[in-house]
Amino acid sequence: MRLPRGLRRRAHLTAEARRVVADLHRDGIAWTDLATLLGSGGERDELLGEVLSRTDDLIADQSADIVRRRRRLCGEPEQRRATPRDVDLLGSRPPVDPEDPYARFLRHPQISGVASAHCRREVRIWDMNGVLTLAGAPVPERGWARAADGPALEVHLHLTGVDEGVGPLSYVRTSHRRRRLARVGRATDEDVERAFGPGCTATATGLTGTVVFSDSRGLQRRARPTARDRLVLQGRFSPRGGRDRAVLLPAEEVPRSALADFALA
């Protein structure tokens, strides 16, 4: 499947994509499944299948490191605390090829179109990665925090089913536009309830193929998985004039001129 180059061309959003944008404007978070969002089961199956196959290859490439981390997470308390649970499958400086399945997912007109509509301007892809989070013993839940101050939209594609035991994303509805809590530090559940009222949070569980969009200015948290590993493709869109620190690099033999949709380091 080949996509048109460039995110500048305004996409004709499906009815489901328009619903997602409306929910994002109101709540700061929205989720759907890929088939409904794209409006075509065949297209969904092709794109999701290629993303999953790419992910399998990346995990196989890092299998030795993943095994080492699992062993350390089962070891002494000092080892467990010092061992990162998140494995960035593309590394800390992800290489970008516009025809890579991860890049094609984020460049899809319905995905990038939701981002542009929510930010109300042209956007670039500032970050992308596959993230494998290893399951382990429960740890104290962290408080609520904002991921960014400026306009940005995060998207997560579930590559496995995500339920309460896998650490789904939780979000404080409307907190992206109601700055009632401090921008630094973490807010407690009590802080959130006092500021936004009871029942103000949403938790985005879902099967493989679930797509979660969240405004990164809102209060959010994600528990660590305890029952099974968590596996997601994640990306971040920000306006083209944003000042965020870019982390993406061109893949080998890919000219920068082919990557206008991405903010490059």
Side-chain angles (χ1 to χ4, degrees):
M1 182 178 63
R2 294 293 179 263
L3 300 176
R5 293 192 179 276
L7 301 182
R8 302 177 187 83
R9 189 177 302 168
R10 186 174 294 275
H12 175 71
L13 297 181
T14 63
E16 179 66 1
R18 294 194 297 272
R19 194 273 303 171
V20 165
V21 172
D23 286 358
L24 277 169
H25 286 339
R26 183 187 66 237
D27 295 334
I29 188 170
W31 62 94
T32 183
D33 66 89
L34 193 59
T36 305
L37 182 65
L38 303 190
S40 168
E43 183 181 18
R44 173 263 187 192
D45 291 344
E46 180 184 356
L47 181 56
L48 182 59
E50 291 176 357
V51 167
L52 292 172
S53 177
R54 170 69 164 145
T55 302
D56 288 343
D57 291 342
L58 292 170
I59 290 174
D61 290 342
Q62 300 193 44
S63 58
D65 177 55
I66 293 169
V67 169
R68 281 193 297 270
R69 293 200 200 195
R70 288 194 196 280
R71 288 174 177 164
R72 292 177 65 86
L73 288 170
C74 295
E76 298 298 323
E78 294 78 10
Q79 278 191 328
R80 294 198 298 269
R81 285 193 294 268
T83 302
R85 293 195 184 192
D86 288 340
V87 181
D88 292 333
L89 299 179
L90 293 176
S92 60
R93 289 291 178 120
V96 183
D97 180 336
E99 300 306 331
D100 181 275
Y102 281 23
R104 293 212 309 275
F105 167 75
L106 293 171
R107 293 180 61 241
H108 191 284
Q110 298 304 317
I111 303 296
S112 60
V114 166
S116 293
H118 179 66
C119 294
R120 294 187 171 94
R121 65 193 79 174
E122 291 182 356
V123 293
R124 280 196 178 104
I125 299 163
W126 286 80
D127 195 8
M128 72 171 190
N129 222 314
V131 181
L132 171 66
T133 305
L134 302 176
V139 296
E141 205 165 62
R142 296 182 297 173
W144 301 88
R146 302 181 192 274
D149 285 330
L153 187 72
E154 296 180 356
V155 57
H156 296 86
L157 173 64
H158 292 181
L159 303 180
T160 58
V162 175
D163 55 24
E164 290 294 344
V166 185
L169 176 69
S170 294
Y171 195 93
V172 180
R173 292 189 183 99
T174 75
S175 60
H176 64 303
R177 52 187 173 83
R178 299 166 64 193
R179 314 292 284 185
R180 294 189 180 184
L181 296 177
R183 297 183 182 184
V184 296
R186 291 184 176 271
T188 66
D189 290 341
E190 291 75 17
D191 294 333
V192 165
E193 184 165 341
R194 279 195 299 268
F196 296 93
C200 60
T201 63
T203 299
T205 57
L207 302 174
T208 300
T210 297
V211 188
V212 183
F213 297 90
S214 62
D215 188 314
S216 57
R217 294 171 294 184
L219 291 163
Q220 54 194 284
R221 71 182 178 196
R222 189 189 284 275
R224 292 182 177 176
T226 56
R228 301 183 309 281
D229 296 345
R230 183 175 63 234
L231 186 59
V232 298
L233 187 169
Q234 64 183 34
R236 181 166 60 90
F237 295 87
S238 289
R240 289 177 174 270
R243 297 191 176 101
D244 297 12
R245 179 174 174 269
V247 298
L248 303 175
L249 294 170
E252 188 176 353
E253 298 184 357
V254 175
R256 285 179 172 255
S257 59
L259 299 173
D261 302 339
F262 299 86
L264 301 175

